[in-house]
Amino acid sequence: MRGDGKTAFIQQVEDEARKRNASVTAYGTGNGTRFELNGRHFQTNYDGSQTRAIKSNDDVLRQFFAPFVGADSSTWPNDTTRLIAINEGRLIDFLEQFGAEFPLLKQIVQRGLRTGAPEDGIAVVNLNLRSVVATSGEIPSILERLVQRFVEPKFWAPCRNCDLRTNATFTTTLRRLRIPRLVPKCWNG
């Protein structure tokens, strides 16, 4: 099962494109893909904070957002979609620093972060707004999956030989979170 983060969201879009017979190919250092679907050109970037060996992160982002330069959306391509996994703070910092180059994109992203409404073909999907406690059918919540991973014995192996393990309250909590019949009580109060 894939994760539920930014990159996983992009990979789900790519999977759907493959189902619709798009040829999805990696480019550059493998930090994203390119594909065409129904006459629209897509380019993805899995990590908007990544620096490449020969390019700074700012240069990578400037190249990625290059189609959206300027203050007039009529000059932007109408057959191009860019999908980027980037932390909100990094995106804001980049657009603050290069706002003169991308003035309209900066305004649209700022409004999109506040409202979530698409504008001029730009949609900001802010995954920070997702629920960490909601479940989806048989899929446990983000919180449940995180706790399940947190209590895996392999992460606690070094504690087995610790003199404080019998006095530490976290080991009691850890043992309780490993008992399947108690876990639903933790989520439901």
Side-chain angles (χ1 to χ4, degrees):
M1 182 170 73
R2 284 214 172 125
D4 51 25
K6 297 178 290 292
T7 300
F9 175 79
I10 291 172
Q11 290 170 334
Q12 289 172 11
V13 171
E14 292 168 346
D15 288 346
E16 184 61 29
R18 283 184 190 95
K19 288 178 188 173
R20 297 177 184 206
N21 297 317
S23 176
V24 180
T25 56
Y27 72 94
T29 61
N31 188 37
T33 62
R34 291 185 175 132
F35 60 96
E36 185 177 335
L37 184 64
N38 299 329
R40 178 165 284 281
H41 302 278
F42 291 80
Q43 184 171 329
T44 67
N45 181 317
Y46 297 143
D47 184 357
S49 300
Q50 185 182 59
T51 300
R52 295 192 181 145
I54 56 172
K55 285 186 182 178
S56 71
N57 178 250
D58 288 337
D59 289 340
V60 170
L61 293 176
R62 289 174 75 202
Q63 182 179 357
F64 187 80
F65 291 122
F68 308 103
V69 165
D72 181 5
S73 65
S74 69
T75 64
W76 295 355
N78 59 8
D79 65 346
T80 299
T81 297
R82 301 291 167 115
L83 298 169
I84 187 168
I86 188 168
N87 291 324
E88 182 179 344
R90 177 63 186 121
L91 179 59
I92 291 168
D93 289 347
F94 172 79
L95 291 172
E96 282 298 320
Q97 184 176 357
F98 295 98
E101 193 173 338
F102 302 97
L104 185 56
L105 180 62
K106 176 183 173 182
Q107 293 170 10
I108 291 171
V109 167
Q110 288 173 334
R111 283 191 292 270
L113 287 169
R114 282 194 311 274
T115 67
E119 181 180 340
D120 276 326
I122 304 286
V124 177
V125 179
N126 189 346
L127 296 182
N128 291 341
L129 304 178
R130 67 193 158 188
S131 172
V132 297
V133 295
T135 59
S136 176
E138 295 296 316
I139 301 171
S141 71
I142 295 171
L143 179 61
E144 287 177 82
R145 286 181 279 155
L146 181 63
V147 170
Q148 288 169 358
R149 180 135 169 84
F150 179 73
V151 300
E152 287 181 17
K154 67 181 178 184
F155 295 118
W156 298 95
C159 298
R160 286 187 200 123
N161 300 322
C162 177
D163 293 337
L164 299 175
R165 76 183 180 286
T166 58
N167 296 330
T169 56
F170 78 87
T171 56
T172 301
T173 303
L174 185 62
R175 278 193 305 275
R176 288 181 180 155
L177 287 173
R178 287 186 183 148
I179 301 171
R181 71 181 192 294
L182 291 181
V183 174
K185 291 181 182 179
C186 295
W187 309 133
N188 300 324

